[in-house]
Amino acid sequence: MKLVNRMVRAYALYTFGFLLFIYAMWHVERVAGPGVWVGYVFLFVPIAVYAVIGLLSRTSDLVEYYVAGRRVPAAFNGMATAADWLSAASFIGLAGSIYATGYDGLAYLMGWTGGYCLVAFLLAPYVRKLARYTIPDFLGTRYSSNVVRGIAAMAAILCSFVYLVAQIQGVGLIATRFIGVDFAIGIACGLAGILVCSFLGGMRAVTWTQVAQYIILISAFLIPVSMIAHKDGLGWVPQLTYGRLMQRMEKLDRAVRDAPEERSVRAAYRDRAARIDAQIAALPGSYLDEKAHLMRELDTLRRRNGPLREIHQREAALEAFPRDAHAARIVWTQARDDLLERATDPVPMHEPFPAANDGERRIHERNFLSLLLCLSLGTASLPHILTRYHTTTSVGSARRSVAWTLFFIALFYLSVPVLAVLIKYEVLAHLVGRPMSDWPAWVTQWHRAEPALLSIGDGNGEGVIRWSAIRMQPDMVVLAAPEIAGLPYVISGLVAAGALAAALSTADGLLLTIANALSHDVYYHMVDPSASSQRRVTISKILLLGVALLASYVASLNTGNILFLVGAAFSLAASSFFPVLVLGVFWKRTTQRGAVAGMLAGLGVCVYYIVSTYPYFRQLTGFAGPRWFGIDPISSGVFGVPAGFVATIVVSLLDRAPDAYTKALVDYIRHP
């Protein structure tokens, strides 16, 4: 109780201080004017605070380093878990996804929230009852097998690493936009922030840092939402009133869809797509003709001493040209599909499962439900989330901690659709229809800084901005929201601080999960069982540093959008862990060989489907497979999870029944 009272007072003072800091920065901006210095302050001051918390929480004690001494109160663990959960994908990508896809984006909200119900009922209490350090440790103990432990450690490292890369990529994006540094330098800054939080104190430092990060990220989301809504006449609590804005949105959506000018822009995109389609049909001859044409143009410019800028443009185009006809087919197909996507009629935000015919609608519905299922099962299987319930004081505290987690996540998730609606209204009402020569300052800034995130073309040559010609990536919607709405620049800095807190908090948990799996499950249990506690903690810190450097390098390659990487991590986690965790708790007949078969089958099917259907990997490897039932690669877990269950059950039934010790252990796990 003394710990709870002390932490309540400390974090109440911290919250008051942070709000006072925001007010002071706003006052300074009014006097000195906005500038990039605001971004520097809002990015580096919070990192300094996290570093102080990390230093104060440093430890070399094994239990403190791995599971924070198993004495974190339920409410604070719920807040830390919420911060661990609300990653860069949630903070940066979720509102943008709803902005771009409308109803489809709700799959993330429902899937992630529903996953915590599975955590509460199926896993968290039982994982805490066995009181291990990691999820591979739990599975290795349950199945009395280092083979199971090793495969579980490999799967935990894989899904956590994919998730970690997405977080570091988000940090690089934030730093690039708000302090104007190169993407790779932004990643290096984020890496420093991650390490100061987790390197010295492990789970103890990460837990108390994540509580502080949650306070920043929730403030950074709720304050801008309330200010934008108040400006639009919805009051300070738009979560209760934004239905009125949706009614206005319906009229704007209809006007955009039916306007003759918009139809002509979409027709222009269809014509360009048809020309690319003709090129694809004429392969391989069209590939050779197009490459020869580019080379002739470049040669002509060089011989005539043409403008240097045009020469560089032709050189860049030639360098980026596909390496062969097969690669050209993949690249041109993607370009054609992008144009056809722009050419489709805009879909109102509230309309579910839009499609031109019944067949497309059925595929759309299947993808929505598949994604929802994968996210729910993945939430219940993520090692860095389940490990958080090892830090609570008891089994009952673990259950209460899940309830607190849902409460703190709900504060965020109830506001995400509000922001998506507010920003889409701002764009439709104040950007669409303006002359290209008179676009707002925020468009110029984002278009110059991050052309991959925002492009506005002159679709039919009339010199007016049209909805169909705006290409705004979901990852920029939240970061640009204050500028789009005309709020003070200090609010943009606040959003950057919140996005950074979300990315760092999740990255800390993921990095610690990977390092602990390597040091505890691989090194201690499988390499050197006689290693001392001090040596195990030291090994974990060294591995943590190495994994962080590797993840930063992979993130610098920009291998995919943040939301896809996170969704893929959920499918990988669900396919690897959900069947063996649930069956391991609720079915005594599950055997070691069954668990091994289940994890390998689930993970194998999931990885195969992602590699064979995701465009980046298809282009990288040249290997392309069909989409089963039209399911998107982000939902590959919908095939991996059933494969895991079937393999586990069939092999377990064919195998020898578990011994009395294993049955007694399952009874111990399942009973209070």
Side-chain angles (χ1 to χ4, degrees):
M1 195 65 184
K2 288 182 180 179
L3 175 65
V4 174
N5 292 335
R6 188 167 72 250
M7 290 295 102
V8 167
R9 286 195 299 270
Y11 282 107
L13 184 63
Y14 168 84
T15 304
F16 176 75
F18 180 66
L19 295 175
L20 191 63
F21 168 73
I22 297 170
Y23 176 78
M25 290 295 296
W26 171 71
H27 185 70
V28 170
E29 183 190 335
R30 289 184 63 188
V31 175
V36 71
W37 62 270
V38 175
Y40 278 100
V41 171
F42 269 99
L43 290 181
F44 289 115
V45 169
I47 287 179
V49 173
Y50 307 150
V52 170
I53 296 173
L55 286 169
L56 293 175
S57 304
R58 64 188 182 277
T59 183
S60 294
D61 181 80
L62 188 69
V63 180
E64 290 284 351
Y65 189 87
Y66 279 152
V67 288
R70 302 195 198 277
R71 54 193 181 91
V72 180
F76 285 100
N77 194 60
M79 194 179 293
T81 307
D84 207 347
W85 174 252
L86 294 173
S87 61
S90 287
F91 195 97
I92 297 176
L94 189 50
S97 179
I98 295 176
Y99 165 92
T101 63
Y103 188 92
D104 284 359
L106 296 179
Y108 292 95
L109 293 179
M110 293 187 287
W112 284 337
T113 307
Y116 274 97
C117 297
L118 299 178
V119 171
F121 293 123
L122 298 180
L123 294 172
Y126 310 108
V127 166
R128 176 61 184 86
K129 181 66 181 295
L130 199 54
R132 301 291 93 183
Y133 289 140
T134 66
I135 294 306
D137 196 12
F138 173 86
L139 290 171
T141 303
R142 158 60 180 89
Y143 294 106
S144 302
S145 170
N146 270 347
V147 176
V148 172
R149 185 190 302 275
I151 296 172
M154 178 190 70
I157 291 165
L158 176 63
C159 63
S160 298
F161 190 82
V162 171
Y163 207 164
L164 177 61
V165 168
Q167 307 316 305
I168 298 178
Q169 205 166 297
V171 173
L173 174 64
I174 296 160
T176 300
R177 174 62 190 94
F178 287 96
I179 60 178
V181 298
D182 182 73
F183 185 73
I185 296 174
I187 285 175
C189 295
L191 176 64
I194 293 165
L195 291 175
V196 297
C197 299
S198 56
F199 185 75
L200 294 175
M203 184 62 81
R204 177 182 175 181
V206 165
T207 296
W208 299 117
T209 304
Q210 285 174 337
V211 174
Q213 288 165 332
Y214 178 80
I215 292 169
I216 289 181
L217 74 86
I218 199 66
S219 302
F221 205 87
L222 295 182
I223 290 173
V225 166
S226 296
M227 292 180 70
I228 298 171
H230 181 71
K231 183 178 73 72
D232 289 341
L234 298 178
W236 292 103
V237 189
Q239 293 85 347
L240 304 177
T241 60
Y242 79 107
R244 299 203 303 266
L245 188 63
M246 281 296 296
Q247 294 175 342
R248 282 184 264 171
M249 280 284 300
E250 286 188 45
K251 296 178 182 178
L252 280 172
D253 273 330
R254 195 175 300 113
V256 165
R257 183 174 51 189
D258 298 335
E261 299 84 0
E262 290 285 347
R263 291 186 181 277
S264 74
V265 171
R266 297 197 288 273
Y269 284 129
R270 278 193 291 271
D271 290 342
R272 287 168 58 186
R275 288 196 293 272
I276 294 177
D277 201 39
Q279 282 184 303
I280 295 171
L283 283 170
S286 58
Y287 169 80
L288 299 173
D289 292 342
E290 188 69 20
K291 189 171 184 178
H293 176 68
L294 282 173
M295 294 176 70
R296 282 196 303 271
E297 282 189 336
L298 179 59
D299 187 56
T300 301
L301 284 169
R302 285 172 173 167
R303 281 190 289 103
R304 296 179 179 177
N305 292 320
L308 196 60
R309 182 180 177 183
E310 290 189 23
I311 291 176
H312 288 331
Q313 286 177 344
R314 296 298 189 283
E315 287 175 341
L318 197 58
E319 186 177 345
F321 200 72
R323 63 180 182 272
D324 53 34
H326 179 72
R329 181 181 297 277
I330 295 173
V331 172
W332 291 351
T333 300
Q334 183 65 44
R336 179 201 63 191
D337 293 346
D338 288 344
L339 287 168
L340 289 175
E341 185 180 343
R342 286 194 182 207
T344 55
D345 291 344
V347 178
M349 293 186 80
H350 61 279
E351 182 178 324
F353 312 128
N357 54 59
D358 288 340
E360 289 184 10
R361 179 178 289 274
R362 283 194 294 272
I363 291 175
H364 202 157
E365 290 173 352
R366 283 201 296 267
N367 271 303
F368 182 88
L369 295 173
S370 298
L371 179 59
L372 194 155
L373 179 65
C374 287
L375 295 174
S376 294
L377 300 181
T379 300
S381 310
L382 283 173
H384 75 289
I385 294 298
L386 292 177
T387 301
R388 287 232 54 92
Y389 299 107
H390 290 306
T391 66
T392 56
T393 56
S394 65
V395 173
S397 181
R399 289 186 186 275
R400 292 192 297 274
S401 181
V402 180
W404 279 110
T405 301
L406 275 170
F407 170 75
F408 289 121
I409 288 175
L411 289 179
F412 181 87
Y413 278 173
L414 290 175
S415 305
V416 167
V418 182
L419 183 63
V421 172
L422 289 169
I423 296 305
K424 187 166 184 180
Y425 177 78
E426 291 284 340
V427 171
L428 286 175
H430 303 128
L431 181 61
V432 173
R434 292 180 67 158
M436 294 282 290
S437 58
D438 185 35
W439 59 24
W442 69 267
V443 173
T444 303
Q445 292 165 1
W446 277 92
H447 193 272
R448 186 188 303 125
E450 289 294 333
L453 295 179
L454 176 65
S455 65
I456 299 179
D458 190 0
N460 56 3
E462 64 177 347
V464 176
I465 298 173
R466 297 298 174 192
W467 175 247
S468 300
I470 299 173
R471 193 72 165 179
M472 185 186 297
Q473 293 298 319
D475 291 347
M476 72 159 282
V477 170
V478 171
L479 297 178
E483 296 166 87
I484 294 173
L487 299 183
Y489 189 68
V490 70
I491 303 300
S492 294
L494 174 62
V495 170
L500 185 69
L504 293 182
S505 61
T506 304
D508 287 333
L510 291 165
L511 196 55
L512 201 60
T513 296
I514 296 171
N516 289 352
L518 287 169
S519 65
H520 179 71
D521 294 298
V522 177
Y523 176 75
Y524 174 63
H525 278 282
M526 302 173 69
V527 178
D528 185 9
S530 62
S532 65
S533 298
Q534 182 65 44
R535 183 174 180 82
R536 290 159 63 187
V537 171
T538 302
I539 291 290
S540 182
K541 291 180 178 181
I542 294 171
L543 289 168
L544 187 145
L545 180 61
V547 172
L549 292 172
L550 178 61
S552 298
Y553 168 74
V554 175
S556 69
L557 302 178
N558 251 327
T559 53
N561 72 68
I562 293 172
L563 208 56
F564 170 79
L565 289 173
V566 171
F570 278 75
S571 283
L572 290 168
S575 302
S576 306
F577 291 115
F578 191 77
V580 293
L581 282 170
V582 171
L583 291 174
V585 171
F586 293 99
W587 191 40
K588 296 179 185 179
R589 187 67 176 76
T590 315
T591 66
Q592 296 174 6
R593 291 187 178 89
V596 169
M599 285 190 288
L600 291 178
L603 186 60
V605 169
C606 186
V607 170
Y608 167 80
Y609 195 74
I610 290 175
V611 170
S612 64
T613 58
Y614 186 57
Y616 175 83
F617 294 115
R618 292 173 65 170
Q619 185 174 351
L620 187 68
T621 63
F623 173 70
R627 290 195 176 187
W628 302 337
F629 307 103
I631 300 298
D632 292 333
I634 195 173
S635 304
S636 55
V638 78
F639 304 113
V641 172
F645 269 112
V646 170
T648 305
I649 293 170
V650 170
V651 174
S652 293
L653 290 174
L654 295 175
D655 196 10
R656 187 173 60 244
D659 56 22
Y661 168 80
T662 301
K663 294 178 180 178
L665 180 64
V666 175
D667 282 333
Y668 170 77
I669 293 172
R670 287 175 52 185
H671 292 92

